[in-house]
Amino acid sequence: MNASPEPLPHLIDVDLGDRSYRITIGSGHLDDVGTICREALVDRHAFVITDSNVGPIYLDRVTTSLGGTSKRVDVMTMEAGESTKSLANCQRIWQQMLHLAADRSSIVVALGGGVIGDLGGFVAAAFARGIDFVQIPTSLLAQVDSSVGGKVGINLPGAKNMVGAFWQPRSVLIDTDVLSTLDQRNYVAGLAEVIKYGLIMDLPFFEYLEKSVSELLSLDSETLARVIARCCQCKTDVVEADEREQSGRRAILNYGHTYGHAIEAVFGYGTFLHGEAISIGMTCAGRLAVQLGLVDSEFLKRQTELFRAVGLPVDCPSEKHDELIDAMARDKKVSKGQLNLILPTKIGHVESIPAPNRAEILTSLKPTD
Amino acid sequence: MNASPEPLPHLIDVDLGDRSYRITIGSGHLDDVGTICREALVDRHAFVITDSNVGPIYLDRVTTSLGGTSKRVDVMTMEAGESTKSLANCQRIWQQMLHLAADRSSIVVALGGGVIGDLGGFVAAAFARGIDFVQIPTSLLAQVDSSVGGKVGINLPGAKNMVGAFWQPRSVLIDTDVLSTLDQRNYVAGLAEVIKYGLIMDLPFFEYLEKSVSELLSLDSETLARVIARCCQCKTDVVEADEREQSGRRAILNYGHTYGHAIEAVFGYGTFLHGEAISIGMTCAGRLAVQLGLVDSEFLKRQTELFRAVGLPVDCPSEKHDELIDAMARDKKVSKGQLNLILPTKIGHVESIPAPNRAEILTSLKPTD
């Protein structure tokens, strides 16, 4: 990654034909939603969905800015937390939208982390068979991952993201300043997805991250903007090549995720944050790759050191390993009975490999001495 | 329309790029679902959704045929009726699908009328962010209208089709034989949409229908197959030009529908069947077109005579006319405060015209002496 400063704001154009959109990344943007996303919002009825954590801090700035552009602004504030991503809440929101005279020209503005983005996006995808939405992600995880690529959805009891759509936003606005009010644990968890992009597809970016740990941990806004922009560009490149997960290219984003999803499910959602679970998951996957001779132990050492440097966990709990492997076998990426894993061959490259036998996977769960 | 016999089955290819599919129309096809839709169904887990009217008559034949092609066949039978198109039922079906180990390679088979097609289509559109579905429409209305074009969805309390998607089926199979068990009133109501295609875009087809009233009323299977195929082709031409209702072309399908939806809403869903309401609606719209000088009274006479000949109602009830006009003004096709109506200029052609003043519309609701 080139070390020379780049102009702010960073602009990423996601090219998906008639579903193309721009991601704008910088500092202080919450006050400029109305102007930055003017094309999407002008003279429209904007329906802001936020949550009980983010709303009290940032909602006023967003609605004030929208007020100068949209013809009407309504707000719905949901309880913060994963359980908000339910069908019952979709119905509540849709009925409120109807009550407030929303129609097919209205636009949803999702202001919050991944939960609000996923929920608000699905609300938009299905209301009147699909209306526009703008995404303002406020967690690092949402900024670098769920705000790019159009995956929206809700949970069924016992099945995360089981109902949803591929529905691209009209515009994404990322304000790095909001990360200052994100709690440390959630911020660090988001760094797991950041580091993932380096590992799966971008060696220079990985090296830049190795050198930028202190800037990352002190929330240096220029570093943050550059890092988030690079992540969004990486994900954009993948999504442009495989919007609907059909060619297999998009699967590289799942590095560490089959392990990670199993860890989240077996130890209970919330025990580990998603980013923590995939940090452990990538560590296990890296270890498996060493076992299989796909990479040398130096790979695993560098990967582990960077996770540790930013404060991410890397060790899988020493219990429930059989349950973990069973959960991995049920992963929704299982295709025709064959579980494939995304495994590294070097820093900056991963491949989809048929999972080896149970004993190999069991070994990969255990910390290397 | 050419009077020479055409080969059976009739095949209509709907060309929508990577969402293209084939409609197969003929007699006795229920026993051949597995072979006709083999490409979509082979080695897949098929999940059949049907209702309490259609299931007892036709389900066995369909599951037997599927059994020879799909690797597993499960069935869910819903209560017949419009109230089945609810979010609560979607959740029930999705949870049942999960329980039965459905995954993203499973395929929904919707066996029933418009309600089951709309519900089953939406279930498929949102499960695992979208899985395939096959449509086997069993009412005339569903065969000529809702099975083409990919509009799927459910109702919210007080708002029909308010939640949904554009989601194209992988294949549509139409067996004209099933119309023999459709009750006469529903069958005749379906003829309103049939006649609509002649009126909005196909003069030769309208003339063919004028000459074929007795064959239609006796359910002559060759006539039915030709008529249904022509309707599907008409709708296909419109949908190919404007899949997502963006260019305005698809709006021509709404001839009589702004009146019709208002009649359904004001007099209560079920008082008039949809086809009956739009027969009355097209009569009112035709009358308005005469009032505005867009067509001569001969147009209205021919249109009305054909509706009457097949047994469709043409007279709007003499009460609640103010409520009807208010309901028309709330029509979801209102764009930026302007209500447009689809009105005829001759048999085989309609145009979108800004609605005239209230007095003109009021007059159009009253039978011409």
Side-chain angles (χ1 to χ4, degrees), chain A residues 87 91 94-95 98 104 122 125-129 151-152 156-157 159 161-167 244-245 332, chain B residues 87 91 94-95 98 104 122 125-129 151-152 156-157 159 161-167 244-245 332:
Chain A
L87 211 55
Q91 176 136 8
W94 285 322
Q95 292 193 271
L98 274 178
R104 59 179 66 181
F122 185 64
F127 186 80
R129 294 198 185 88
K151 280 191 179 181
V152 298
L156 292 183
N161 298 321
M162 193 43 73
V163 167
F166 289 91
W167 193 247
R244 299 185 66 93
E245 278 186 337
K332 64 182 167 184
Chain B
L87 210 55
Q91 176 136 8
W94 285 322
Q95 292 192 274
L98 274 178
R104 59 181 65 181
F122 185 64
F127 187 80
R129 295 200 185 86
K151 280 191 180 183
V152 298
L156 293 183
N161 298 320
M162 193 44 74
V163 167
F166 289 90
W167 194 247
R244 298 184 67 92
E245 278 186 337
K332 66 181 165 182

Side-chain angles (χ1 to χ4, degrees), chain A residues 329 331-340, chain B residues 71 103-105:
Chain A
D331 191 90
K332 64 182 167 184
K333 270 82 185 181
V334 172
S335 174
K336 298 185 178 168
Q338 171 61 56
L339 175 63
N340 291 295
Chain B
K71 72 173 176 190
D103 63 19
R104 59 181 65 181
S105 69

Side-chain angles (χ1 to χ4, degrees), chain A residues 20-253:
Chain A
S20 296
Y21 61 97
R22 169 168 282 185
I23 306 170
T24 304
I25 303 149
S27 168
H29 284 351
L30 280 195
D31 297 313
D32 303 318
V33 179
T35 45
I36 292 173
C37 306
R38 179 175 177 79
E39 203 186 331
L41 293 161
V42 66
D43 292 336
R44 309 278 286 275
H45 176 188
F47 195 91
V48 183
I49 302 176
T50 188
D51 74 21
S52 53
N53 283 344
V54 172
I57 318 178
Y58 297 119
L59 184 60
D60 280 354
R61 289 170 60 193
V62 170
T63 54
T64 300
S65 177
L66 288 174
T69 302
S70 298
K71 72 172 176 190
R72 174 174 173 175
V73 181
D74 287 306
V75 172
M76 193 144 175
T77 302
M78 313 302 294
E79 196 69 33
E82 183 74 25
S83 63
T84 284
K85 274 173 63 175
S86 69
L87 211 55
N89 276 336
C90 287
Q91 176 136 8
R92 277 182 57 211
I93 297 170
W94 285 322
Q95 292 193 271
Q96 181 69 358
M97 289 172 73
L98 274 178
H99 177 67
L100 296 170
D103 63 19
R104 59 179 66 181
S105 70
S106 301
I107 183 163
V108 168
V109 177
L111 171 68
V115 167
I116 291 299
D118 287 1
L119 175 74
F122 185 64
V123 161
F127 186 80
R129 294 198 185 88
I131 65 173
D132 288 343
F133 85 114
V134 165
Q135 210 156 359
I136 309 177
T138 58
S139 71
L140 180 58
L141 186 65
Q143 291 178 346
V144 300
D145 181 25
S146 54
S147 69
V148 189
K151 280 191 179 181
V152 298
I154 52 159
N155 304 328
L156 292 183
K160 280 189 75 167
N161 298 321
M162 193 43 73
V163 167
F166 289 91
W167 193 247
Q168 304 296 341
R170 278 288 305 275
S171 187
V172 176
L173 184 145
I174 295 176
D175 187 338
T176 56
D177 296 355
V178 303
L179 298 178
S180 65
T181 58
L182 186 67
D183 68 274
Q184 174 78 1
R185 186 178 168 195
N186 266 288
Y187 173 73
V188 168
L191 290 174
E193 294 278 5
V194 169
I195 295 167
K196 185 193 76 176
Y197 289 108
L199 290 165
I200 65 173
M201 61 192 292
D202 193 343
L203 171 61
F205 182 49
F206 184 84
E207 291 169 338
Y208 173 83
L209 293 173
E210 288 182 314
K211 283 181 264 171
S212 308
V213 169
S214 67
E215 289 85 350
L216 285 170
L217 293 181
S218 64
L219 301 182
D220 174 68
S221 71
E222 196 176 315
T223 304
L224 279 175
R226 295 185 66 199
V227 163
I228 293 166
R230 179 58 72 107
C231 292
C232 289
Q233 187 63 59
C234 284
K235 183 151 184 190
T236 295
D237 291 346
V238 173
V239 168
E240 284 176 354
D242 183 19
E243 184 182 359
R244 299 185 66 93
E245 278 186 337
Q246 288 166 330
S247 77
R249 176 66 183 163
R250 195 160 171 164
I252 70 167
L253 299 171

Side-chain angles (χ1 to χ4, degrees), chain B residues 228-255:
Chain B
I228 293 165
R230 179 60 73 107
C231 293
C232 289
Q233 187 62 61
C234 284
K235 184 151 184 189
T236 296
D237 292 344
V238 173
V239 168
E240 284 177 354
D242 183 20
E243 184 182 359
R244 298 184 67 92
E245 278 186 337
Q246 288 166 328
S247 76
R249 177 66 183 163
R250 196 161 172 163
I252 71 167
L253 299 170
N254 293 323
Y255 178 45

Side-chain angles (χ1 to χ4, degrees), chain A residues 256-324:
Chain A
H257 279 60
T258 302
Y259 285 96
H261 290 153
I263 290 167
E264 288 180 273
V266 168
F267 294 103
Y269 289 101
T271 305
F272 291 100
L273 296 178
H274 176 69
E276 295 167 345
I278 67 150
S279 174
I280 297 169
M282 288 187 278
T283 307
C284 296
R287 195 179 293 123
L288 183 64
V290 174
Q291 290 167 220
L292 298 176
L294 297 168
V295 286
D296 57 24
S297 59
E298 180 62 21
F299 168 93
L300 185 59
K301 184 163 170 285
R302 269 180 87 180
Q303 173 182 290
T304 306
E305 279 177 1
L306 185 52
F307 287 152
R308 284 203 169 119
V310 299
L312 282 163
V314 293
D315 290 331
C316 186
S318 58
E319 55 194 13
K320 298 193 181 180
H321 286 190
D322 281 320
E323 286 172 62
L324 283 175

